[in-house]
Amino acid sequence: MTFHYFLLCLSLLCIRWSQASSNYHEKLLLQPLAPASLLASFNFRSNASLTSFEQQHFTLIPRSLGQILQHAKTRELHLRFSTGRWDAESWGTRPWGGMKEGGTGVELWAWVEAETEKEAFARWITLNNALSGLFCASLNFIDSTRTTRPVMTFEPVGDHSDTSRANLHLLHGTLPHEVVCTENLTPFLKLLPCKGKAGISSLLDGHKLFDASWQSMAIDVRPVCPAGQSECVVEMEQTVDMVLDIERSKRPRDNPIPRPIPREELVCDTSKEYSSQDTCYPLDVSYGQSWSLSEVFGRPIKGTCLVEASEGPDSQSVCLNVPADRDVYTSHGVTEFKEASGFSRCFVLPTTDDFELMLPKQNVQTSSPIYPPPLYAERSITGHGQERGGVQTLLTNPSPDTPVEFVYLESLPWFMKPYLHTLKVLLPGEAKQPPSIIKDIYYRPSVDRHRGTQLEIRMIVPAASTATLTYDFEKAILRYTEYPPDANRGFDVAPAVIRLVSSTSNTTGDSMYLRTTSLLLPLPTPDFSMPYNVIILTSTVMALAFGSIFNLLVRRFVGADEVEGYDIGRLRALVRGRLVMIKDRILGARNEKKIQ
């Protein structure tokens, strides 16, 4: 009986393990970029049935995050941690079409189920406080002044019924001043089934990730109803994208000091007119550099993590975008699949052995194609002085024959008050705004210390054109207690969110996203040393006055002969004896000098 019971438990455990492995997939994409950079995109996807999730039967969806979402009635969640700047001119289109990217710092938006907006905001605050503790971030500082309700920029990505959509409220918040560090990576890895100990997540190291030129961590939780299946699932997708400098990442950790390359190892472009023995223009050799996983990430991939060893696209955990003529060496026993395009190859990881990938130094004539983004965006602050200023955004459409339509979202702090009548969009060579360039505007003004400004613009930029969007704003004067410790540095303004809309559909699935860089806004700053000086001077005067008056009121003055046990004769004799002793010492010293 005991043996049959053991076999039953073992079979149930195997069935549960096979279901877990089929509901979890991970993939790593490596793509060399110019100049001398490497894009590494980590993607982890976990699924759980909606019924088991609602009954709190957590397997691949972590309990720590699942219970927070259930308590806050959050039906869809998108959380981003980002640092650095994506160089669109050199690196091309953003990974995942910008869907997994956030603005500088921390960005969060979610759909919360509630009957009223007030109830939705209360649950939004609960969600921020809980996520703040889970990810060791300052998400609890996303209050009403940093919260917006976008109308045209975001749409639900998950599958929601019509009845549930009626009670869903979208809330969006940003923290552009937040510094992303290892404290955020550690809880991110703990949400994975293997906790970063096996699979492609074993390459994620804080020293490498936060030394990248650009990096983004994303968490997306949404309901999905697959076609042909009766039951919906809850999908959690975790993504880590980073752009590493190959030469910088190859430096040993025990000797990370950069040193100049010897003259004989420099690769120079001899076609330049000024090229000589002592003048060198570096040649772009990013596509022919030698590198390996151990050199770039510090370690190889340690086996697999809950991935089924079966043929198919899901079993190909590592993909490399390099030309077919590029030499690539891997560990023994690794299965390789090459795509018909000739610019990509994928590998199936061994179950228990380490996986190593190495590319030797090679003179490559071709490279993987880099596609330019459909839109370039640059934003900056204009004007001077402490009272007013302006914002200028350059929106460039590189396509020679196709206009681009997009939604432009600005989330401004309450102390940055824009003048809507100064908003204009100009094209080169035109003095007035074309009437067809702006399709729609949604404007929600700010309320001092309660709500920020929300501005959404749906517009079209013609082909091969650069549109300049400008508006003026007024700077508010803050209370001295509202300034941060580094007040003279300025205040961070959240990046603008741009959603590129397809001409045939308005859904988010057919859209691409990009973010501009954040802005640094200088505000009128008082001289904080003056309150300090006033406080110190006032405290000194008060101490002297209070001490003197207190002594006069409390201290009792009496005569010396009125003190009990006080003998005036004895005191006189003691003083007279001391004076005689001092006089004898002085006279004795003079006599010694005369004798000598």
Side-chain angles (χ1 to χ4, degrees), residues 80-248:
R80 303 288 186 266
F81 299 90
S82 302
T83 57
R85 172 181 172 270
W86 177 265
D87 188 0
E89 295 183 359
S90 301
W91 302 337
T93 307
R94 287 167 165 78
W96 315 99
M99 293 287 293
K100 309 296 182 183
E101 178 188 352
T104 303
V106 179
E107 183 176 354
L108 171 67
W109 69 97
W111 276 265
V112 180
E113 185 177 4
E115 296 293 336
T116 60
E117 291 187 357
K118 183 178 181 180
E119 183 182 1
F121 182 75
R123 292 176 177 176
W124 166 257
I125 296 299
T126 301
L127 176 66
N128 293 337
N129 293 335
L131 293 178
S132 176
L134 179 62
F135 291 101
C136 298
S138 303
L139 290 167
N140 56 308
F141 285 95
I142 299 181
D143 52 6
S144 60
T145 61
R146 295 181 173 90
T147 300
T148 58
R149 299 173 182 267
V151 176
M152 299 182 290
T153 308
F154 299 100
E155 292 289 338
V157 183
D159 299 325
H160 303 276
S161 61
D162 296 336
T163 56
S164 62
R165 277 177 177 265
N167 294 328
L168 291 182
H169 297 263
L170 170 62
L171 296 103
H172 176 267
T174 57
L175 287 175
H177 189 59
E178 182 75 7
V179 179
V180 184
C181 60
T182 310
E183 293 180 353
N184 310 123
L185 176 63
T186 301
F188 182 91
L189 294 177
K190 289 184 178 180
L191 299 180
L192 297 173
C194 296
K195 317 297 183 185
K197 304 299 182 182
I200 63 174
S201 62
S202 60
L203 296 180
L204 293 175
D205 179 67
H207 296 86
K208 299 293 183 179
L209 176 62
F210 299 107
D211 193 41
S213 303
W214 173 84
Q215 67 89 13
S216 176
M217 297 189 301
I219 297 179
D220 301 281
V221 182
R222 58 170 185 162
V224 178
C225 298
Q229 297 186 13
S230 58
E231 188 177 10
C232 298
V233 298
V234 177
E235 180 182 277
M236 186 183 73
E237 194 169 5
Q238 297 176 247
T239 309
V240 178
D241 299 312
M242 68 179 84
V243 177
L244 300 169
D245 185 284
I246 295 179
E247 291 298 330
R248 184 182 180 91

Side-chain angles (χ1 to χ4, degrees), residues 54-69:
E54 293 176 350
Q55 296 176 354
Q56 297 192 5
H57 294 166
F58 300 102
T59 53
L60 295 176
I61 305 295
R63 180 183 297 272
S64 57
L65 180 60
Q67 290 184 340
I68 292 175
L69 300 180

